[in-house]
């Protein structure tokens, strides 16, 4: 069992709860930081930041550690979504807080810190409403996750000679990245292809696979929706630049190789 450092007192309770749950999963797995990094695709340094409250864990990292710990990630991902909102609110407070003069600061007993604890009276008033809203969010998220998973499964099971293209009848899908490493290459569980040509306006699970690998490499393509749009194209160009490839925004065998073997930055 790991001997964890005490988390920063200024963390919002939801962020604190998320990190505690991640620590439990890490302890249950019996893995050290390097082993956890190898299995999850995120560096040991990243996990040090995540599990000590210095940085908000990435959504895919939360999903990966849940899978490694043998848990259904649905509830943990809902908690991550709520924690991310609180984390963002704390950053906004830090950024937008007006600077007071030294004379005023000398007479101010306390400053509002990022993720600071709410006033006790406010917590008591909002406790019931918060409990109801979280319960509703959990129920909706479970149902939405089931629906999205079924859609993604249907799309992944469709055999086509070439990727489709954007059309007015396109049904929006949010795919789930299930990152695993095999023979030194990364796969997201949506397509094992290494040579399918993907370009702007293409859609399908192959595009979603590439989007998952782009995000793992530290280049966000936007939503994992299987649509090769402007954000995905710009992300592909960044990966191609990073690896010294021809920068054309088109995913071919060389770009697939870079994506499947890339190390996150």
């Amino acid at each position: 069992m790991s001997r964890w450092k005490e988390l920063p007192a200024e963390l919002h309770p939801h962020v604190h709860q998320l990190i505690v749950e991640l620590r439990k999963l890490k302890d249950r797995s019996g893995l050290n930081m390097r082993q956890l990094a190898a299995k999850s695709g995120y560096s040991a340094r990243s996990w040090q930041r995540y599990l000590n409250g210095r940085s908000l864990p990435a959504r895919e990292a939360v999903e990966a550690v849940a899978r490694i710990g043998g848990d259904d990630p649905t509830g943990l991902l809902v908690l991550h979504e709520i924690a991310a909102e609180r984390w963002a609110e704390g950053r906004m407070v830090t950024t937008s807080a007006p600077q007071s003069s030294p004379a005023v600061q000398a007479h101010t007993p306390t400053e509002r810190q990022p993720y600071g604890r709410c006033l006790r009276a406010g917590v008591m008033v909002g406790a019931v409403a918060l409990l109801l809203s979280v319960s509703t969010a959990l129920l909706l998220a479970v149902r939405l996750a089931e629906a999205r998973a079924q859609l993604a499964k249907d799309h992944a099971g469709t055999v086509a000679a070439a990727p489709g293209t954007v059309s007015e009848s396109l049904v929006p899908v949010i795919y789930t990245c299930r990152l695993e490493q095999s023979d030194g290459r990364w796969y997201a569980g949506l397509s094992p292809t290494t040579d399918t040509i993907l370009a702007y306006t293409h859609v399908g699970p192959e595009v979603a696979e590439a989007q998952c690998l782009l995000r793992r490499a530290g280049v966000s393509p936007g939503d994992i929706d299987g649509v090769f749009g402007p954000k995905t194209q710009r992300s592909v160009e960044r990966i191609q630049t990073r690896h010294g490839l021809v920068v054309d925004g088109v995913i071919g065998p060389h770009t697939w190789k870079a994506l499947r073997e890339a190390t996150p930055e």
Side-chain angles (χ1 to χ4, degrees):
M1 186 67 69
S2 302
R3 298 183 61 182
W4 296 105
K5 296 179 181 179
E6 185 175 353
L7 290 171
E10 64 268 19
L11 286 178
H12 189 282
H14 289 148
V15 180
H16 186 283
Q17 182 182 357
L18 173 66
I19 296 173
V20 169
E21 294 300 323
L22 293 177
R23 286 179 169 186
K24 290 179 181 178
L25 287 170
K26 190 267 183 187
D27 287 341
R28 188 187 307 167
S29 71
L31 302 175
N32 59 35
M33 287 297 184
R34 290 186 178 179
Q35 292 169 332
L36 181 61
K39 285 184 172 290
S40 67
Y42 287 80
S43 68
R45 183 175 297 177
S46 295
W47 280 114
Q48 288 285 357
R49 294 197 305 271
Y50 296 159
L51 298 177
N52 285 294
R54 298 196 301 271
S55 179
L56 182 69
R59 187 180 189 277
E60 286 73 17
V62 171
E63 185 175 4
V65 78
R67 174 173 49 79
I68 292 169
D71 271 13
D72 182 351
T74 303
L76 200 61
L77 290 176
V78 173
L79 178 59
H80 176 270
E81 184 174 349
I82 297 171
E85 292 177 359
R86 301 297 178 262
W87 186 276
E89 289 171 0
R91 290 177 64 87
M92 289 175 65
V93 168
T94 306
T95 303
S96 61
Q99 296 294 323
S100 57
S101 65
V104 174
Q105 292 177 358
H107 291 84
T108 303
T110 58
E111 289 185 299
R112 188 175 183 181
Q113 299 293 333
Y115 328 112
R117 291 189 290 271
C118 299
L119 293 174
R120 182 169 299 179
V123 173
M124 294 298 292
V125 171
V128 175
L130 178 61
L131 180 60
L132 291 174
S133 64
V134 170
S135 299
T136 302
L138 281 169
L139 179 60
L140 291 175
V142 169
R143 291 180 178 175
L144 182 60
E146 292 174 350
R148 286 174 173 174
Q150 185 60 46
L151 281 171
K153 182 179 180 180
D154 293 342
H155 276 250
T158 301
V159 177
T165 56
V166 175
S167 66
E168 293 182 357
S169 61
L170 178 66
V171 178
V173 177
I174 299 297
Y175 293 83
T176 299
C177 302
R178 297 181 174 86
L179 292 166
E180 291 185 357
Q181 192 175 29
S182 176
D183 296 329
R185 293 190 171 189
W186 285 95
Y187 297 86
L190 298 172
S191 172
T193 183
T194 58
D195 55 7
T196 300
I197 304 299
L198 299 177
Y200 189 75
T201 75
H202 280 172
V203 298
E206 295 87 359
V207 177
E209 174 84 6
Q211 289 173 329
C212 290
L213 297 175
L214 284 165
R215 181 175 289 181
R216 193 199 71 84
V219 182
S220 176
D223 292 333
I224 309 299
D225 54 7
V227 178
F228 202 125
K231 288 185 177 180
T232 299
Q233 187 177 48
R234 288 194 295 269
S235 298
V236 171
E237 291 172 349
R238 289 179 60 186
I239 284 292
Q240 291 172 333
T241 301
R242 183 188 299 174
H243 290 270
L245 303 175
V246 175
V247 181
D248 57 6
V250 176
I251 300 178
H254 295 297
T255 305
W256 276 116
K257 184 175 185 295
L259 287 172
R260 295 205 183 277
E261 297 178 358
T263 300
E265 291 192 354

